[in-house]
Amino acid sequence: MTMQLERPTGHDLVDLVERRVPGYSLEAPFYTSQEVFDLDVSAIFARHWLFAAAEAELPEPGDFVTVAVGSYSVIIVRDDDEELRAFHNVCRHRGSRLLDEPRGSVGNLVCPYHHWTYGVDGRLMHADNQPASFDRSCFSLRPVQVRSIGGLVFLCLADDPPADFDEVAARIEPFLAPYGLRQAKVAHQSDIVETGNWKLVMENNRECYHCDGHPELVSAYFPLFGYTAEDVPPRLRPAYQRYHQASAALRSACVRQGFPLEGARELDTRATGFQLSHAPLDGAGKSFNTNGESVCSRLMGSMTTDRFGDLSLHMQPNSWFHMLADHAVVFSVLPLAPDRTLLRTTWLVHPDAVEGLDYDVATLTRVWQATNQQDGTLVARTQKGVEDPGYRPGPYSTVEGDVDAFVTWYVSRLAAHLSR
């Protein structure tokens, strides 16, 4: 087979997708082209389940968040029965945007233009100056598919969402349940706009080949993600030995807790690609902090030990999650432009944890605030590189299997969309 690594002269999308070389990074237009970006929104973000929020962001009836996905805007709201609902953020009268704020609380949803009023269940309750024949029941807000897995809220803009989501949810839920994410509270949330394509943000997350650049993180996190025993270089051998010892202790803790022992890796073999892994932490082995020390004195959910490692969940196409005994950190990625991406990071703690007593925000967030900034710099450098005429796709290393899996999943989903 002849590998075509030259920068394409045209943007024929089918040809671009079909000539992707397995084991290599993508060609430049995948990261730079407006045409490809628009395809990503329609084929990936408008057709797959997206992580949108934590239930902890919507603790009370009337609480809402808005989520922007390309030209779509979606309202997620907790209704009066405390169920989650999602609607297109578009008035059914003449199309005005209903809510501008990223989050808040409402009694009803009132259009600021002509004051059409909707309940938090989406029903049209009031519309002035309509004829006697007007049927309000025909003009409810257009619903969007929404689901919660263990307190993590996903939405899908498609009328026919991927059918495997229920199976994936059933696989994931037992791992999440002990952390009590549905009852958790938001301790902090941070938004960063990274100067890079959304796929570069995701690819960067899916490997630890660069983790030497994260000194705060590797104080507690073993920089061995994606490595096998054969891959570990001499400089990481001491960490690898500590990792093996800590793994045995973590397995014993899981048995005592009645926690599932085996993870799963189905990143590129299904529509709703995912990976679950549970790894020990270095040092004290408790949390993302200097030498692995705790950052919150109240443990999550039904946790009975503060040394329970890092339960990591990856979901295609836009999210990753870290659950620890004393807190959780959840990440969502949303595309803004071919070279701009929103990364939202949310820290969750026990609902009864008291700021200033059980935790302080600076310590809780220090590791991932620093890591996000460092990753943002790396993504921006890569974006500059793929925009350079000198760029050619390069081969993935032996420890970048999850990057290859993400790209393989992405290309296969584009191919399926283009063949419809």
Side-chain angles (χ1 to χ4, degrees), residues 72-75 85-92 98 118 121-124 138-145 157-159:
Y72 295 93
S73 178
V74 177
I75 301 167
R85 305 277 193 133
F87 306 101
H88 289 278
N89 190 10
V90 179
C91 182
R92 292 297 308 279
L98 292 170
Y118 305 86
D121 59 0
R123 291 182 302 114
L124 178 62
C138 295
F139 295 94
S140 296
L141 295 177
R142 292 187 59 213
V144 172
Q145 305 268 357
L157 291 157
D159 294 330

Side-chain angles (χ1 to χ4, degrees), residues 68-83:
V69 182
S71 59
Y72 295 93
S73 178
V74 177
I75 301 167
I76 303 174
V77 63
R78 194 174 292 278
D79 69 16
D80 292 335
D81 295 323
E82 300 192 0
E83 297 296 321

Side-chain angles (χ1 to χ4, degrees), residues 29-41:
F30 281 107
Y31 304 114
T32 62
S33 161
Q34 183 66 47
E35 189 177 16
V36 173
F37 177 83
D38 293 341
L39 176 63
D40 285 356
V41 172

